[in-house]
């Protein structure tokens, strides 16, 4: 049976995995949405890393192209680093752009949730340097010799104080290594130039500070994007700390978005796509799919 709702594709944050969004996904599904959460290749557990921003871009491009070519309408929700991946990967896949080519399906809306919304040639590192906060990296992150990076205090930087200790520790225990090179890589294309944008601010965000977020929205608008904004009084992960609020914001926007015209009845469950894992035994011990994770100092 055809659905009147778009499919929501979550492009997750650095260090995160599909399970990081479980409560958010469950709530969306309870409201009748189909949710897809593909695992980005740069979170495949390899060290040294064997995937980067361009690998993630190609993976998401291929993933979403299959959906839109099947006639589905998509809304992309991009969290943190996922904003760089989605901006880069989804250009040319908008509903309006495809309609002009006589094609059905496409991406109808981009949600940036505490996410990097950058222009062509810009990078995460460039944003940090523009604010003169290079010391922030050395203080907050541990860069290993093999190129992987992790957060020194994920509870403070990611979770904050809006959830209890047990919930915070469970969340942190699921985090995985990430490729530090991705911070320096610039995006090449900007899907936000052609697809409607919703930016959801985390006012207490310690990872991508509110000032960064506001500057990015101003830049999007200066670049011609009509950006709708919402604010949540929480940190970097509102899908965890303000689940109900975030779901309501997403639903409010998606009520204005047309649904897909393909049959979704056979695949309503969330799809946890699995890119190839690292092949060495040592690397796989860090891989999410083996249910082993980085020792984040949970306590």
């Amino acid at each position: 049976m055809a659905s009147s709702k778009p499919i929501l594709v979550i492009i997750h944050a650095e260090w995160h995995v599909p399970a990081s969004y479980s409560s958010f996904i469950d709530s969306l599904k309870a409201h009748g949405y189909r949710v897809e959460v593909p695992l980005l290749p740069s979170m495949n557990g390899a060290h040294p890393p064997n995937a980067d921003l361009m690998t993630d871009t190609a993976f998401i491009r291929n993933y979403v192209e299959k959906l839109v070519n099947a006639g589905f309408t998509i809304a992309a929700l991009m969290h943190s680093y996922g904003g760089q991946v989605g901006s880069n990967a989804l250009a040319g896949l908008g509903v309006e752009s495809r309609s002009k080519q006589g094609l059905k399906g496409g991406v109808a809306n981009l949600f940036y949730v505490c996410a990097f919304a950058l222009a062509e040639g810009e990078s995460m590192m460039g944003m940090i340097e523009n604010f003169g906060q290079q010391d922030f990296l050395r203080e907050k992150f541990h860069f290993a010799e093999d190129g992987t990076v992790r957060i020194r205090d994920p509870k403070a930087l990611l979770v904050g104080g809006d959830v209890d200790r047990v919930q915070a520790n469970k969340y942190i225990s699921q985090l995985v290594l990430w490729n530090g090179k991705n911070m320096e890589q610039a995006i090449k294309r900007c899907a936000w130039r052609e697809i409607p944008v919703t930016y959801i601010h985390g006012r207490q965000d310690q990872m991508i500070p509110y000032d960064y977020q506001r500057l990015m929205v101003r830049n999007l608008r200066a670049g011609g994007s009509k950006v709708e904004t919402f604010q949540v009084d929480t940190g970097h992960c509102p899908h965890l700390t303000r689940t109900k609020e975030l779901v309501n914001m997403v639903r409010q926007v998606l009520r204005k978005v047309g649904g897909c015209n393909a049959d979704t009845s056979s695949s309503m469950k969330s799809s946890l796509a699995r890119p190839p894992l690292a092949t060495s035994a040592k690397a796989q011990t860090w891989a999410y799919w083996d249910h082993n994770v980085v020792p984040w100092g949970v306590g």
Side-chain angles (χ1 to χ4, degrees):
M1 182 175 66
S3 171
S4 61
K5 295 181 171 74
I7 296 172
L8 191 68
V9 175
I10 296 175
I11 305 176
H12 63 78
E14 63 274 47
W15 301 295
H16 288 62
V17 294
S20 304
Y21 301 84
S22 58
S23 60
F24 180 58
I25 294 167
D26 289 345
S27 184
L28 287 165
K29 288 171 63 179
H31 288 289
Y33 288 96
R34 173 178 167 184
V35 185
E36 302 280 336
V37 195
L39 175 66
L40 295 178
S42 67
M43 261 62 76
N44 69 3
H47 56 104
N50 60 8
D52 59 14
L53 172 61
M54 298 309 151
T55 316
D56 291 341
T57 295
F59 174 72
I60 288 296
R61 177 82 182 188
N62 180 63
Y63 192 96
V64 174
E65 271 189 326
K66 289 179 179 179
L67 290 171
V68 300
N69 286 340
F72 291 110
T73 300
I74 306 299
L77 187 145
M78 303 165 290
H79 179 213
S80 195
Y81 164 72
Q84 294 165 259
V85 178
S87 293
N88 216 24
L90 303 179
L93 298 182
V95 169
E96 184 176 347
S97 176
R98 286 175 56 83
S99 178
K100 290 177 180 178
Q101 302 172 59
L103 301 172
K104 294 182 179 180
V107 181
N109 201 84
L110 302 173
F111 291 93
Y112 290 87
V113 180
C114 303
F116 281 98
L118 305 175
E120 298 91 342
E122 294 181 344
S123 67
M124 184 186 299
M125 188 69 75
M127 172 70 73
I128 293 169
E129 290 174 350
N130 286 342
F131 275 84
Q133 294 185 332
Q134 294 91 323
D135 289 344
F136 174 86
L137 294 176
R138 291 186 290 271
E139 293 171 2
K140 303 298 183 181
F141 304 105
H142 173 72
F143 293 86
E145 291 183 1
D146 65 5
T148 56
V149 60
R150 64 182 179 91
I151 310 171
R152 296 186 188 278
D153 186 356
K155 187 172 183 179
L157 208 57
L158 288 180
V159 180
D162 291 338
V163 295
D164 63 36
R165 182 173 176 272
V166 172
Q167 191 176 6
N169 286 348
K170 179 181 178 182
Y171 189 82
I172 293 167
S173 73
Q174 296 169 332
L175 300 174
V176 297
L177 290 172
W178 183 54
N179 186 355
K181 178 183 177 183
N182 293 3
M183 292 184 177
E184 302 175 358
Q185 289 182 297
I187 67 171
K188 298 180 178 180
R189 305 179 73 188
C190 291
W192 55 261
R193 295 193 186 279
E194 61 178 279
I195 301 171
V197 170
T198 302
Y199 198 103
I200 300 176
H201 296 280
R203 290 182 59 89
Q204 307 303 323
D205 196 339
Q206 300 299 307
M207 177 69 74
I208 304 178
Y210 185 46
D211 286 347
Y212 285 37
Q213 297 176 30
R214 290 190 298 173
L215 175 61
M216 288 186 284
V217 169
R218 290 198 297 270
N219 290 343
L220 294 185
R221 287 172 172 159
S225 178
K226 296 180 179 180
V227 185
E228 182 176 18
T229 62
F230 294 86
Q231 297 190 17
V232 188
D233 191 24
T234 192
H236 190 61
C237 299
H239 61 278
L240 171 71
T241 57
R242 292 290 189 273
T243 305
K244 184 176 180 180
E245 286 182 55
L246 183 59
V247 167
N248 287 340
M249 291 171 183
V250 170
R251 291 179 65 210
Q252 180 178 331
V253 173
L254 293 187
R255 288 190 190 104
K256 299 176 285 187
V257 176
C260 55
N261 53 15
D263 187 355
T264 65
S265 59
S266 63
S267 53
M268 284 299 294
K269 292 185 177 180
S270 299
S271 173
L272 306 185
R274 179 176 178 173
L277 287 176
T279 55
S280 73
K282 181 179 180 183
Q284 287 196 24
T285 62
W286 297 85
Y288 162 72
W289 290 102
D290 286 341
H291 303 286
N292 295 306
V293 295
V294 184
W296 292 92
V298 174

